[in-house]
Amino acid sequence: KQLHDRLVKPATCEPSCALVQRLELDVSPRGLQLRVEAHAAAVTSVRLPGPAASWTPAQLTCDQEPAVVVLQDDGFLHVRLTPGQHVLEAKGPLPPSDAFALALGDAPQRAVVHADGFAIDGVRADGQVSDSIQVRRLLPAEEHERAESEALAPWLVLHRDFELGTSLLVHSSLERVSPSGTPILVRVPLLAGESITDSSLEVEGNVVNVGLGRDDSKVEWSSNLSPRDLLTLRAADGARYSEVWTLHCGAIWHCDATGLAPIVHVVDNRWEPQFRPWPSETLNIALQRPRATAGQSVTIDSAQLVVTPGVRSRASLLTLHIRTSRGGLQSVTLPKSARVLSFKIEDQERPYRRDRDALQFTLNPGSQTVTVSFQEPIGIATVEHAPAVRVQGGAANVSVTLSVPPDRWLLWTSGPAWGPAILFWGQLAFVLLCAFVLTLLPGSPLRAWQWALLGAGLTQVSAVVALVVVGWFFALHYRAAMPEQPRMRHNLIQLALLAWTVVVMSALYAAVRAGLIVQPDMQVVGASSDASSLQFFVDRVAADLPVPTLISVPIWAWRVLMLLWSLWLASSCVRWFPWALRCLRTGGGWKSKPKKVEAAPKASAPSVTQPQ
C-alpha cells in the first residue's frame, strides 16, 4: 500500500500543472492552423480547442514530433506533456459550415489571430480571449442570407429586464433553447446609451460578444443606461435569438409604453408589463417624472419608543417606520443627556449628525425603518418620566412602552387615555368598604379593623378564595349558636366544617406565600399591558411623543408590609383557632351511635297450692 501511495501520489502542482502561454490562430481558405506554447510543471495534459465534434485536426505535433493525444469523456482532445516548455501545432480543414465556434480547453494568457477572409469573434485587441471564439466566413450579403437559411443554427432567448428607478439599469440574460453540446458566441447589439458594467465581456463598438460554453445554458450581465426621456427598443432582425422585454417602472417615473401590446401586465401584484416582440418590431417607452404636489413628502406611519429604566442608567429604543417620496433630511430631537449607542436604517449602520439635541440623517425615497438606540445617565426614581422625544413633521400610531424592573413595586401610572390602568387600589377601597359592612352583620366574629387587615392581605388571591375565608368565620359563629341536631346531621356538619378549615388554612398559606415570594399583583389591565410592561398609545402627534409617568418603590417595601401582615395573621390565628375549636365543640364534638341496653328477664309468678 505504501508503494502504491508513492506511485500514484499526485504532483504538488495539481490540479493546474499546465499553463498555455500563447495561442496563435491562423484561419484561411486552406484550413485552420493552431500553434500553442505550453509550460508543464509535471507530467500532465492540455486540452486543444474544440470539442472534437466541432473541429478535429488532421495533423498534430508536439515539439515537431508526433503528439500523444487521446479523446477524453469531456469531448476534447488531450495532449500529453512532460515537464518543461512545449510547442504544439495542429492543422486541419475547416468545417463545412460558414460559421462555427470553438471552446478553449485551457485558456491562453495571450492570443494572436491571423484571418484571411474570415472574422474572429471572442478575441480582444489586447490579446485576451473569452471562453469561446467564433469563426465566421466573410460572404456577400446574398450568399450570407442563403447560408443562414440553409443552416440550422442554435437558438437562444435574450431577456432584458429594465429597472427604471433613481438610475436606469438593464439586467440581461442569454438563455440557450436548442440542445447543448456545442459552444456558442453571439453578437448582441447594445442599446443607445448602454454601457456594460461586466468587465469580462468583450465590447466592440456598439456590440457585445457573449459566449456560452458547450455545457452552459445561460449567461447574465448588467449594464447602465444614460438618463433620457424616451427609451426606444427595437428587436434584432435576422439574429439567432428571440427577445423578451420586461419593464420595472419605479415610483419616481411615469412610464408610457407604445408600439407593442404586453403579453403580461401584472406579476406578483405589481405592474410589470412583459413584451415579446417579433423581429424589427419597436417599442417606445416615454419616461416622465410625476410633478410634485403640495403637501409633505415624509410620512411616519408608526413610532415606537421602548424605555427600560435601570439602577444607574436608562436605555431607550426608538423605531420609526417612514415613507418618503423625495428623500432628504430628517431630524429627531433627543434629551440633552442622551448618548446615541447605535443608529440604523433597514438594520444597517448609517452615518448621522448630532446638532445639539437634534439627530439629523438623510432618507432615500421609499419605505424604510429607522432605529435609534440611546442611553441616559439617569437611575430609576420613585417618580419616573419617559424621555422627551420630538419627531420632525409628527407621526401616527405612536406607542410608548415603559418596562417595570422586577425589583420595583408598581404603585401608579399616568399618561395618554389609551394606556394601562391599575385596579389594585380600587379593589383595596372596595375591601375596606366590605370590612365596614361585615361589622354591621349580626354575629360578626371580627372587628372592622380586623376585617380590613384580613381583606388587604387576601387581595393577592382570587375573590372566591377570599369569600371562602370570610364565610368560614360566619359558619363557625352560627355553628356555636346552632340548636341540637340529630346525630347524623350533626356529624355531617362537623365534617364539612373541618374540611372548610383545611381549605381556609391553605388559602391563608397561599396569601402569605404570594405576598412574600411572588411579585405583587397590582391588576394592570388595558392596552395589552401587564405588571412588567406598560404600553401607551396615541393615534397621532404633532411633534412631541407622549411622556407617561411611572410611580414605583423598591420591592422590599412590599415585602416588609406583607411580612408585618403575616406576623399579624400568625398572632391572630393563635386566637382564632381556639375559638374555632370551641365553636366546633359546642353541643358535642362528635355524636356516637348510642349503645343498645339489654332488658332484664321477667320473674315467673309463684305457684299457688290449691287447697284440697
Side-chain angles (χ1 to χ4, degrees), residues 11 43 91 220 333 405 445 490 527:
V43 177
K91 299 178 182 179
E220 300 178 346
T333 303
H490 176 88

Side-chain angles (χ1 to χ4, degrees), residues 392-453:
Q392 178 185 355
N397 303 317
V398 180
S399 65
V400 178
T401 302
L402 290 177
S403 298
V404 182
D407 58 348
R408 304 291 295 185
W409 176 22
L410 176 62
L411 298 180
W412 191 255
T413 182
S414 63
W418 198 337
I422 299 179
L423 305 182
F424 174 79
W425 304 112
Q427 181 187 11
L428 183 60
F430 178 75
V431 167
L432 297 179
L433 178 62
C434 291
F436 175 75
V437 172
L438 289 175
T439 57
L440 300 180
L441 296 178
S444 176
L446 300 180
R447 299 179 181 178
W449 66 271
Q450 291 176 321
W451 284 121
L453 286 178

Side-chain angles (χ1 to χ4, degrees), residues 454-537:
L454 181 61
L458 293 177
T459 55
Q460 298 305 302
V461 296
S462 64
V464 175
V465 175
L467 291 176
V468 169
V469 175
V470 173
W472 179 75
F473 285 94
F474 284 95
L476 289 176
H477 172 76
Y478 288 116
R479 166 63 183 85
M482 184 178 63
E484 186 73 17
Q485 299 291 332
R487 180 183 64 84
M488 185 64 69
R489 182 183 299 177
H490 176 88
N491 291 341
L492 290 177
I493 293 176
Q494 293 292 88
L495 291 176
L497 289 177
L498 288 176
W500 200 338
T501 303
V502 174
V503 173
V504 169
M505 294 177 62
S506 301
L508 296 179
Y509 170 78
V512 172
R513 182 181 179 276
L516 296 178
I517 300 177
V518 184
Q519 289 291 110
D521 183 12
M522 301 304 292
Q523 301 184 26
V524 180
V525 296
S528 302
S529 301
D530 52 36
S532 60
S533 178
L534 307 177
Q535 301 185 20
F536 301 85
F537 180 82

Side-chain angles (χ1 to χ4, degrees), residues 181-511:
T182 58
I184 303 175
L185 194 141
V186 182
R187 296 168 58 86
V188 179
L190 298 178
L191 303 175
E194 182 181 3
S195 58
I196 302 294
T197 59
D198 191 348
S199 60
S200 63
L201 296 179
E202 179 189 4
V203 179
E204 297 179 357
N206 62 342
V207 176
V208 56
N209 294 322
V210 182
L212 286 83
R214 72 188 191 101
D215 296 326
D216 296 337
S217 60
K218 187 177 182 181
V219 62
E220 300 178 346
W221 70 93
S222 300
S223 55
N224 295 326
L225 286 178
S226 59
R228 63 193 60 219
D229 297 331
L230 179 64
L231 178 61
T232 301
L233 306 178
R234 185 178 183 276
D237 188 10
R240 291 187 294 168
Y241 54 83
S242 58
E243 299 190 38
V244 179
W245 302 331
T246 305
L247 182 61
H248 305 272
C249 191
I252 64 175
W253 293 104
H254 173 72
C255 303
D256 187 12
T258 58
L260 286 178
I263 62 171
V264 176
H265 292 81
V266 178
V267 177
D268 295 335
N269 297 326
R270 293 181 298 181
W271 185 74
E272 295 180 357
Q274 188 179 98
F275 305 87
R276 288 183 176 268
W278 289 87
S280 302
E281 286 189 335
T282 303
L283 175 67
N284 296 318
I285 304 175
L287 304 179
Q288 183 181 4
R289 286 182 178 269
R291 295 183 179 180
T293 58
Q296 64 182 25
S297 60
V298 178
T299 300
I300 301 179
D301 293 327
S302 63
Q304 295 92 27
L305 178 63
V306 179
V307 184
T308 306
V311 178
R312 296 181 178 84
S313 62
R314 180 173 62 186
S316 302
L317 179 63
L318 176 64
T319 304
L320 304 176
H321 299 276
I322 304 177
R323 286 184 296 121
T324 174
S325 58
R326 298 179 57 186
L329 194 65
Q330 181 71 15
S331 67
V332 175
T333 303
L334 303 178
K336 294 182 179 180
S337 59
R339 181 172 63 91
V340 179
L341 301 179
S342 67
F343 177 81
K344 296 181 179 180
I345 299 180
E346 294 296 327
D347 292 333
Q348 295 183 357
E349 294 286 347
R350 296 293 179 86
Y352 63 90
R353 184 164 66 95
R354 188 74 181 268
D355 186 8
R356 296 183 180 179
D357 302 340
L359 184 69
Q360 298 179 348
F361 52 92
T362 57
L363 297 174
N364 296 324
S367 300
Q368 49 220 298
T369 301
V370 179
T371 305
V372 184
S373 176
F374 60 94
Q375 191 178 57
E376 301 170 84
I378 303 174
I380 190 170
T382 302
V383 181
E384 183 78 14
H385 301 282
V389 177
R390 171 176 294 183
V391 180
Q392 178 185 355
N397 303 317
V398 180
S399 65
V400 178
T401 302
L402 290 177
S403 298
V404 182
D407 58 348
R408 304 291 295 185
W409 176 22
L410 176 62
L411 298 180
W412 191 255
T413 182
S414 63
W418 198 337
I422 299 179
L423 305 182
F424 174 79
W425 304 112
Q427 181 187 11
L428 183 60
F430 178 75
V431 167
L432 297 179
L433 178 62
C434 291
F436 175 75
V437 172
L438 289 175
T439 57
L440 300 180
L441 296 178
S444 176
L446 300 180
R447 299 179 181 178
W449 66 271
Q450 291 176 321
W451 284 121
L453 286 178
L454 181 61
L458 293 177
T459 55
Q460 298 305 302
V461 296
S462 64
V464 175
V465 175
L467 291 176
V468 169
V469 175
V470 173
W472 179 75
F473 285 94
F474 284 95
L476 289 176
H477 172 76
Y478 288 116
R479 166 63 183 85
M482 184 178 63
E484 186 73 17
Q485 299 291 332
R487 180 183 64 84
M488 185 64 69
R489 182 183 299 177
H490 176 88
N491 291 341
L492 290 177
I493 293 176
Q494 293 292 88
L495 291 176
L497 289 177
L498 288 176
W500 200 338
T501 303
V502 174
V503 173
V504 169
M505 294 177 62
S506 301
L508 296 179
Y509 170 78

